Amino acid sequence: MSVLFFPIMGKIFISSTYLMLILSCVESCFLLRSFYVIVPEIIPPGYQVAKVETVGCDAKSVQLTVKDPSFTIESNGAVVALTSVSVGEGGRIFSVSARDNSGLERKMEVHLVRSTILKRHQRGRGSLNRSRRRSCFLLDPSSVVENYEGSYPKVIERLGSLYSDYVTFVEGQGVDAYPTGVFSLDRDTGDLLLLKAVDREEFPRYHIGFRVFDKHTNVERWYFSLTVIVDDVNDNAPEFVGPLQFTVPEHCSAGTVVGVVSATDRDEIYTDHVKIKYTLVSGSDMFTIHPETGVITTTTNTLDRELKENHVVTVKIQDMNGAPNGLFATSTATIALSDINDNPPTFMKSSYNVTVEENESEKLLLRIPVQDKDLINTSNWMSKFVITKGNENGNFRIVTDPQTNEGLLYISKPLDYEKTNDVQLQITAQNVALLNGSSATWQSIPVNFIVEKVDAVRAGLGQKISPGILTRDPPTRRALTSPHTPTTFSQLFSQSSGREQQTARSVSFGLLGIMTILCPVVLLLLLFLLLVFFCLKKREKLQLNDSGDTGRIPLKSNTEAPDDSMAWE
């Protein structure tokens, strides 16, 4: 490469000068007789070799043809390779002809000169950039392998000797611009040297310029531009991007998309170094992941939040499309199951028996607790109670306690014992949200009400017999509340002892009842006190009378004979 450079440059320069002289004096269709072009050793298909310019030809009628079948010439004069063309050390020659409506044909020989260094700019390849100060050229890109483990310095390009009349300076990235100290030029040999390892992920390419000056005139004659491309090696493992937190509804159908695992690789794009394969290390019994896209989907419809709320799966990402020599990384992804209303509320008891007094209203009669497995404090968990049967007259109402989720059953209109002494309701427990993903239905239970008559005795005494007694012991209740059998305290306690006190009974007395009991006792006590007082006074009076009679009547003598006594009498 080397010593042919300047002779070829000379021919190109002479051809260009000759063309400039002809332009001013020739009016007929004209082509250069020869044209030198420096090309790479292998010309790829579609490569523009040169651009042929005609002088004095009719632009509308001129026809350009190329004699080499490996090339074609376009209407704008661009010579383009049709196939891959190999250029030997001796070069390659083909001709281009031009003919316009004058009928004259002009021919030009195109000389392809192989070079590992020099090529013309894509837009002007084959034409010298004429400048009063310097000529600019693009060199074929060179390449270096990142993280090269061999010895340094390493020759990456041989520019050849530029003779003793010229001096070359190198500049650009890796030389005098950041990062400095990567490249240097041996001016004696023309070798471009790599001084240390480079990292493609930090700098994928370097742009370097070579300025050639005439030693005698200090005039810059040529400027060469070189791009050094850093070849990638697989030195970066793939990395996960974004949080691996996903949510999917419970009991969703198989094939439902859970989420997408995103990953990236810092190595060179469009290579196997960044071709990532996704796999599940664990959790494949319920989930699967697409090996190329990273999309996670379900494989079953049995995911149940009430059994397991969160599922943790291990994801593996590996470059080289999962090849054994590929670099990999693993991480865990959490898949949370969102709640659906697949569990209806269930009652704690199968039925309830309640006693209610007639004429009562706006009174809480019963709390009905329920259980619900769905997510607490959501519409799937919140209960809604409905009286579905037995409340045709509107005597009852039921609401939900927002704190406990219990049903609160109230009597809203009084009941009349003479008209109705037994009422049966049907209570249905629902949710605020509709059932979803379940074949279950809303549950209902019966609530039996026994209406208790309020009689005169109970009204007077203010008694209250607990509803639990009346509910659990109907015979006793009937005995106590029968309108034909008067209820007394002795009867109440005798019945309690007759049943061996199996059921606790509570009797409470009102003020009137207490007064009724205490008044006779107080009266008897007063009578007793008066009687005692009277007796004491009577005794004291008798004793005083006995003391006065002894002073006036003579006492009998013990010595007197019975006859004397009788005589005295």
Side-chain angles (χ1 to χ4, degrees):
M1 162 216 92
S2 58
V3 292
L4 289 176
F5 173 69
F6 282 97
I8 292 171
M9 292 299 302
K11 290 184 179 181
I12 295 175
F13 181 76
I14 293 172
S15 298
S16 302
T17 306
Y18 184 59
L19 176 61
M20 294 177 63
L21 294 174
I22 295 297
L23 291 177
S24 60
C25 57
V26 179
E27 297 180 358
S28 60
C29 189
F30 175 80
L31 280 178
L32 290 175
R33 294 182 62 182
S34 61
F35 195 71
Y36 290 84
V37 182
I38 299 175
V39 294
E41 181 179 354
I42 302 297
I43 301 176
Y47 185 91
Q48 182 177 322
V49 174
K51 186 174 183 181
V52 177
E53 297 179 357
T54 60
V55 180
C57 299
D58 184 6
K60 295 182 180 180
S61 62
V62 65
Q63 296 181 353
L64 299 174
T65 57
V66 62
K67 301 302 181 181
D68 193 329
S70 299
F71 299 91
T72 185
I73 188 167
E74 299 177 351
S75 59
N76 62 354
V79 180
V80 179
L82 294 175
T83 61
S84 179
V85 179
S86 176
V87 180
E89 292 183 356
R92 183 167 180 157
I93 302 174
F94 62 91
S95 62
V96 175
S97 62
R99 183 194 299 271
D100 61 4
N101 55 8
S102 66
L104 295 177
E105 184 180 27
R106 304 295 181 182
K107 290 186 179 182
M108 177 181 67
E109 287 186 348
V110 178
H111 297 259
L112 302 181
V113 181
R114 188 180 80 176
S115 173
T116 59
I117 305 176
L118 185 63
K119 74 175 181 180
R120 300 296 173 86
H121 191 274
Q122 182 73 15
R123 295 184 178 178
R125 190 175 289 108
S127 299
L128 189 63
N129 183 10
R130 294 178 293 276
S131 172
R132 293 182 180 180
R133 295 190 58 192
R134 66 178 182 178
S135 298
C136 300
F137 299 93
L138 274 175
L139 302 179
D140 285 327
S142 296
S143 62
V144 295
V145 178
E146 68 170 329
N147 301 323
Y148 175 68
E149 297 179 353
S151 59
Y152 293 94
K154 180 181 184 301
V155 177
I156 61 172
E157 190 65 62
R158 294 186 181 276
L159 302 178
S161 175
L162 298 180
Y163 297 106
S164 59
D165 292 335
Y166 300 93
V167 61
T168 303
F169 297 93
V170 62
E171 62 184 12
Q173 293 175 327
V175 182
D176 58 354
Y178 181 81
T180 60
V182 179
F183 304 101
S184 68
L185 177 67
D186 188 333
R187 294 180 182 176
D188 295 330
T189 62
D191 292 340
L192 181 64
L193 305 176
L194 176 66
L195 303 180
K196 62 182 181 180
V198 291
D199 187 352
R200 192 205 68 84
E201 286 70 47
E202 183 178 359
F203 273 89
R205 60 187 62 223
Y206 295 82
H207 298 287
I208 302 173
F210 301 91
R211 304 176 66 183
V212 181
F213 290 85
D214 190 317
K215 285 184 178 180
H216 303 291
T217 62
N218 289 330
V219 175
E220 184 176 357
R221 299 298 302 274
W222 300 285
Y223 182 85
F224 300 94
S225 179
L226 173 67
T227 299
V228 179
I229 299 173
V230 181
D231 292 337
D232 184 52
V233 296
N234 190 26
D235 58 341
N236 290 279
E239 299 175 352
F240 290 94
V241 177
L244 300 179
Q245 304 286 337
F246 307 106
T247 302
V248 67
E250 61 174 334
H251 294 297
C252 60
S253 59
T256 301
V257 174
V258 175
V260 181
V261 176
S262 299
T264 185
D265 197 307
R266 297 181 61 203
D267 290 317
E268 189 172 3
I269 61 173
Y270 309 121
T271 66
D272 285 345
H273 298 168
V274 296
K275 193 171 184 180
I276 300 173
K277 182 178 181 180
Y278 300 83
T279 55
L280 284 183
V281 179
S282 65
S284 57
D285 55 332
M286 292 187 174
F287 305 94
T288 185
I289 189 169
H290 194 282
E292 297 179 0
T293 62
V295 176
I296 299 178
T297 55
T298 60
T299 59
T300 179
N301 63 349
T302 60
L303 296 171
D304 193 340
R305 188 199 68 86
E306 286 71 42
L307 296 179
K308 190 174 183 180
E309 186 172 0
N310 294 311
H311 294 263
V312 179
V313 299
T314 303
V315 183
K316 178 182 178 181
I317 52 176
Q318 188 170 19
D319 60 22
M320 300 296 291
N321 199 25
N325 61 337
L327 303 177
F328 67 90
T330 59
S331 184
T332 56
T334 301
I335 302 173
L337 301 183
S338 60
D339 185 50
I340 65 172
N341 192 21
D342 57 334
N343 293 281
T346 57
F347 291 98
M348 306 290 290
K349 295 179 64 176
S350 59
S351 65
Y352 289 91
N353 296 317
V354 182
T355 299
V356 57
E357 292 184 357
E358 64 176 344
N359 301 325
E360 285 186 327
S361 64
E362 293 304 325
K363 179 181 178 181
L364 176 62
L365 301 178
L366 183 65
R367 281 181 171 268
I368 305 176
V370 292
Q371 288 182 332
D372 199 309
K373 296 180 181 179
D374 290 315
L375 189 60
I376 192 171
N377 294 329
T378 65
S379 59
N380 299 332
W381 174 84
M382 295 177 182
S383 297
K384 181 174 66 174
F385 296 88
V386 180
I387 303 175
T388 52
K389 288 183 181 180
N391 194 33
E392 290 76 10
N393 296 327
N395 296 99
F396 303 91
R397 64 183 177 90
I398 189 168
V399 295
T400 303
D401 189 331
Q403 301 298 325
T404 63
N405 209 32
E406 294 175 318
L408 306 180
L409 183 58
Y410 289 86
I411 182 167
S412 55
K413 293 171 59 177
L415 294 171
D416 190 344
Y417 176 84
E418 282 72 19
K419 294 181 178 180
T420 304
N421 57 14
D422 194 353
V423 179
Q424 186 176 44
L425 301 181
Q426 179 175 284
I427 307 296
T428 301
Q430 303 176 356
N431 287 126
V432 175
L434 298 177
L435 284 174
N436 180 23
S438 173
S439 59
T441 58
W442 305 125
Q443 292 189 6
S444 301
I445 60 168
V447 179
N448 300 315
F449 287 93
I450 298 177
V451 181
E452 183 183 51
K453 181 177 178 59
V454 180
D455 52 30
V457 175
R458 292 182 61 196
L461 298 178
Q463 300 182 67
K464 283 190 178 180
I465 302 176
S466 64
I469 299 173
L470 303 180
T471 300
R472 290 191 294 267
D473 194 2
T476 304
R477 178 194 60 79
R478 287 193 293 269
L480 293 175
T481 60
S482 173
H484 306 292
T485 304
T487 302
T488 63
F489 295 104
S490 60
Q491 290 175 337
L492 177 63
F493 289 111
S494 63
Q495 289 177 7
S496 176
S497 59
R499 293 186 174 272
E500 298 179 357
Q501 299 180 352
Q502 292 179 357
T503 306
R505 287 172 168 78
S506 61
V507 178
S508 61
F509 302 95
L511 180 60
L512 182 59
I514 295 173
M515 293 179 63
T516 304
I517 295 172
L518 293 180
C519 284
V521 174
V522 171
L523 290 175
L524 291 174
L525 182 61
L526 290 175
L527 290 175
F528 177 75
L529 293 176
L530 288 173
L531 181 60
V532 171
F533 178 76
F534 176 77
C535 292
L536 292 175
K537 288 293 184 180
K538 186 66 175 174
R539 182 179 179 181
E540 181 180 357
K541 193 172 184 180
L542 291 174
Q543 290 177 351
L544 291 175
N545 291 333
D546 291 342
S547 175
D549 290 342
T550 304
R552 296 185 300 268
I553 300 175
L555 295 176
K556 296 180 180 180
S557 174
N558 292 332
T559 59
E560 292 180 353
D563 296 333
D564 296 337
S565 174
M566 292 177 62
W568 181 80
E569 289 180 357

